[in-house]
Amino acid sequence: MGYDLITMGRIGVDLYPLQTGVPLPQVTSFGKFLGGSATNVAVAASRLGRRTAVITRTGDDPFGTYLHEALRGFGVDDRWVTPVPGLQTPVTFCEVFPPDDFPLYFYRRPKAPDLEIDAHELDLDAIREASVFWVTGTGLSEEPSRTATLAALAHRDKAGLTVFDLDWRPMFWTDPEAARPFYAEALKHTTVAVGNLDEVEVATGVRTPREAAQALLDAGVELAVVKQGPKGVLAVDSKGNEAEVPPLPVNVLNGLGAGDAFGGSLCHGLLAGWDLEKIMRHANAAGAIVASRLECSSAMPTTDEIDSAIAAGAVK
């Protein structure tokens, strides 16, 4: 049996402060969680009943062991999560200043193991057979992950649903101009592109939502999803269908991870064959629920939680 979703990209340990509104030097306790955007998307889709797996790498250390245990606990297949001798499993700290300030501090030096994914080690048949394959912009930032990501996309050749999460993280690149050629190459092989306004600008050079969506369609995708923050989300497909959905009201505790919940729900809705508006409303609700919680992976909502939030018109 093939997978509903295979993601490929970052993994790590999130160490989030258990005090809000407190800068890191004054934080006294932290919670430990599975993290990494591609990994969180796989968890989010698994919570919605999808069969998922992640392709990534960890350090050969106790944190790597923890990540395997956490993945299995969330029902995500970890067969393609392998250790890299000599590198440490990354950790990420954040500060929590609700409602809209959540600085991230990545500890991924000298190099993160997930950037050591090698094209020669990929299970290309499984990648091609998955109903959805999800890659990220971070995977393009260094070799050998860059070549592996593009090789996987080329082999898949737009089979099924192939999603490119633009995932622009400026700390992983020298500048946007260095990223754009690799983003353009990835877009040629994908059917769905997802990103916020900063990310679509990196990919296309255009920031206005509808113009950016059209630029993504012109680059070869069949569905462009542009997140607009407080203005909600815009989705436009190559057949001329469009949906613009406002955000679901929520008292934000920690906005980190909301986009990953959105991504897992997006995959779920696409697989279910829903119309664009229903997909966007469901994904918005999933993201809002996670934004109301401290953690990311363990905060991913169930179908019942999402349905309740949509019915209530807000996250209670």
Side-chain angles (χ1 to χ4, degrees):
M1 180 187 298
Y3 293 89
D4 293 316
L5 169 66
I6 295 176
T7 68
M8 179 174 171
R10 282 203 315 277
I11 195 170
V13 177
D14 288 344
L15 296 174
Y16 284 2
L18 299 182
Q19 298 88 43
T20 62
V22 178
L24 277 180
Q26 278 74 58
V27 172
T28 58
S29 57
F30 296 85
K32 180 184 67 177
F33 308 102
L34 171 72
S37 62
T39 304
N40 283 337
V41 170
V43 171
S46 179
R47 278 281 173 91
L48 298 175
R50 298 298 179 177
R51 185 168 187 245
T52 70
V54 60
I55 300 168
T56 189
R57 306 197 73 182
T58 70
D60 190 7
D61 54 23
F63 272 152
T65 300
Y66 161 71
L67 294 177
H68 278 278
E69 293 172 351
L71 285 167
R72 292 193 290 267
F74 288 125
V76 177
D77 196 321
D78 64 343
R79 70 182 61 196
W80 297 304
V81 182
T82 57
V84 180
L87 293 180
Q88 295 177 317
T89 299
V91 297
T92 302
F93 291 89
C94 78
E95 294 173 307
V96 181
F97 296 105
D100 58 3
D101 187 18
F102 310 103
L104 273 172
Y105 304 92
F106 292 97
Y107 288 75
R108 291 170 58 87
R109 296 298 177 191
K111 189 175 187 180
D114 55 60
L115 292 174
E116 284 291 322
I117 299 171
D118 192 286
H120 298 96
E121 298 172 354
L122 296 175
D123 186 338
L124 293 174
D125 289 340
I127 288 171
R128 186 173 177 85
E129 291 168 6
S131 298
V132 183
F133 180 53
W134 177 289
V135 300
T136 74
T138 297
L140 299 173
S141 64
E142 289 191 40
E143 293 290 5
S145 173
R146 176 185 299 150
T147 293
T149 301
L150 294 175
L153 290 172
H155 183 82
R156 185 168 168 84
D157 194 26
K158 294 192 175 184
L161 296 160
T162 305
V163 186
F164 181 23
D165 174 8
L166 302 179
D167 185 43
W168 166 249
R169 306 282 176 164
M171 66 285 294
F172 301 154
W173 296 87
T174 54
D175 61 66
E177 295 298 326
R180 191 165 293 141
F182 301 113
Y183 274 54
E185 181 63 26
L187 286 168
K188 293 177 185 177
H189 300 288
T190 54
T191 61
V192 182
V194 185
N196 61 32
L197 293 176
D198 291 336
E199 291 166 340
V200 297
E201 184 175 21
V202 168
T204 68
V206 180
R207 190 174 181 84
T208 306
R210 277 183 169 74
E211 292 179 358
Q214 187 58 55
L216 290 169
L217 294 172
D218 291 343
V221 307
E222 298 168 12
L223 173 62
V225 180
V226 181
K227 302 174 189 175
Q228 306 175 82
K231 293 184 178 180
V233 61
L234 170 69
V236 183
D237 70 19
S238 57
K239 297 178 182 177
N241 299 308
E242 179 179 314
E244 189 166 17
V245 176
L248 203 64
V250 58
N251 290 321
V252 175
L253 175 60
N254 184 358
L256 302 172
D260 302 331
F262 182 102
S265 174
L266 170 68
C267 293
H268 177 65
L270 289 170
L271 287 168
W274 295 341
D275 63 64
L276 275 185
E277 182 170 345
K278 182 175 181 179
I279 292 172
M280 294 304 117
R281 290 193 182 280
H282 194 275
N284 264 359
I289 290 169
V290 172
S292 74
R293 300 169 175 174
L294 173 65
E295 64 274 22
C296 292
S297 53
S298 55
M300 296 301 169
T302 64
T303 298
D304 287 346
E305 289 174 323
I306 296 172
D307 289 344
S308 294
I310 293 172
V315 177
K316 301 297 187 180

